[in-house]
Amino acid sequence: MGLVVQKYGGSSVADAEGIKRVAKRIVDAKKNGHQVVVVVSAMGDTTDELIDLAEQVSPMPTGREFDMLLTAGERISMALLAMAIKNLGHEAQSFTGSQAGVITDSVHNKARIIDVTPGRIRTALDEGNIAIVAGFQGVSADSKDITTLGRGGSDTTAVALAAALDAEVCEIYTDVDGVFTADPRVVKKARKIDWISSEDMLELAASGSKVLLHRCVEYARRYNIPIHVRSSFSGLRGTWVSNEKPEGDAQVEHAIISGVAHDVSEAKVTVVGVPDKPGEAAAIFRAIADAEINIDMIVQNVSAASTGLTDISFTLPKTEGSKAIDALEKSKTAIGFESLRYDDQIGKISLVGAGMKTNPGVTADFFKALSDAGVNIELISTSEIRISVVTRQDDVNEAVRAVHTAFGLDSDSDEAVVYGGTGR
Ligand code: ADP
Ligand code: ASP
Ligand code: MG
């Protein structure tokens, strides 16, 4: 039997009991003859608590020290997990991201993995150990400083190690039974998906389905690593995510619509009174890009004939809001806009499915479901296999449920189980 990489999220190792339960699962995989590499997240909501703490001593913590602080969370869980495994009579060694050879660029708080050199992990495995790796962290090739990969980054650590070690599969253990047609915390009638293409999963993850991080899916797609998302609390088969539909798997069907995602972590910036002439949008988004901010949707209004001025709105992560406002304020005279508006009470709902390419009615049905639910649409964006709208944040849950029902995604059997976690 080959090598497996297993990743356990924070809710799976929330307390000592959780760590002991997970340790048993890991030992079972080892007993079944696998070489086992485990990637572990910080316990429960530790990362959020560390962020809260940092905000109490500094209003906008960023950079090197913030990463030093946050990586402490995963160090705690990796050492405790190794101890729990040893207590079951098996050998285990824990490694920080840097020790495991996770090499990144130097962008603190959202570093990208540029190489994985898992020499020490290989040695540990060859000596009969279970290797435990702290997720979400790496070391910068240039500065040699410790970096973090962005929230939810342990998923990426797991897939990157699976690729570097040529693992059979990357198992992502979490607090629900797999990937569902919507977040089970919002839609009780959400259905578990048995298999989903990397393409559809990428869009769901990028649209806010945090069960998998989009960078992790991107990585898995590029290196052709099959992912199995499943619960660490049950023994059930979860969801397989892969580039190609598995042959001969009776449980698998290719759905027209894969699911509904939602995201309340974004805010909207409106640049008011922009002169309607070439170069203005370029100047605005250059200022944003120079501040290393990624944006999501963009909408430009038709300019009013009388003034020749227009408005440009865009969405971005709330965590980048004040940085974006500062960057634009600095370039206000050069760009020549009138004012800025900032709105963090928005939410985004997205419908995802490869079947959209060939089913022209999907967009109309989506808008109809939203209007029947009395939800007003503020922005719209589409890709070949996704349609997204921005609404008021208060309307999001209702809108997700309405769309889920309208597209016939509601399960007619059991309610989706959420085993743990706080949803934070
Ligand atoms: P972990 O701590 O294991 O990394 P996360 O909280 O990051 O767990 O991800 C699991 C959560 O993702 C679930 O508890 C669920 O609320 C949320 N989620 C959002 N969309 C989906 C979806 N489509 N299918 C399953 N879970 C989803
Ligand atoms: N602990 C980190 C976070 O909460 C990374 C992870 O859990 O994937 O974002
Ligand atoms: Mg996660």
Short mmCIF file of all heavy atoms in Angstrom, two decimals, residues 97 167 172 210 325:
data_model
loop_
_atom_site.label_atom_id
_atom_site.label_comp_id
_atom_site.label_asym_id
_atom_site.label_seq_id
_atom_site.Cartn_x
_atom_site.Cartn_y
_atom_site.Cartn_z
N GLY A 97 6.22 23.82 9.22
CA GLY A 97 6.18 23.92 7.76
C GLY A 97 7.59 24.05 7.20
O GLY A 97 7.95 23.42 6.20
N ALA A 167 1.68 11.04 -3.33
CA ALA A 167 0.71 10.28 -2.53
C ALA A 167 -0.40 9.71 -3.41
O ALA A 167 -0.69 10.25 -4.47
CB ALA A 167 0.11 11.18 -1.46
N ILE A 172 -9.01 15.01 3.13
CA ILE A 172 -9.26 16.22 3.91
C ILE A 172 -10.38 15.89 4.91
O ILE A 172 -11.54 15.71 4.51
CB ILE A 172 -9.71 17.40 3.01
CG1 ILE A 172 -8.68 17.68 1.90
CG2 ILE A 172 -10.02 18.64 3.84
CD1 ILE A 172 -7.49 18.50 2.27
N LYS A 210 -16.14 27.17 1.95
CA LYS A 210 -14.82 27.07 2.59
C LYS A 210 -14.45 25.65 2.98
O LYS A 210 -13.41 25.44 3.60
CB LYS A 210 -14.74 28.00 3.79
CG LYS A 210 -15.60 27.59 4.95
CD LYS A 210 -15.19 28.38 6.17
CE LYS A 210 -15.98 27.90 7.36
NZ LYS A 210 -15.40 28.27 8.62
N ILE A 325 -9.00 51.60 0.62
CA ILE A 325 -9.44 52.99 0.75
C ILE A 325 -8.22 53.92 0.86
O ILE A 325 -8.14 54.95 0.19
CB ILE A 325 -10.38 53.16 1.98
CG1 ILE A 325 -11.65 52.31 1.81
CG2 ILE A 325 -10.69 54.62 2.25
CD1 ILE A 325 -12.60 52.80 0.75
#
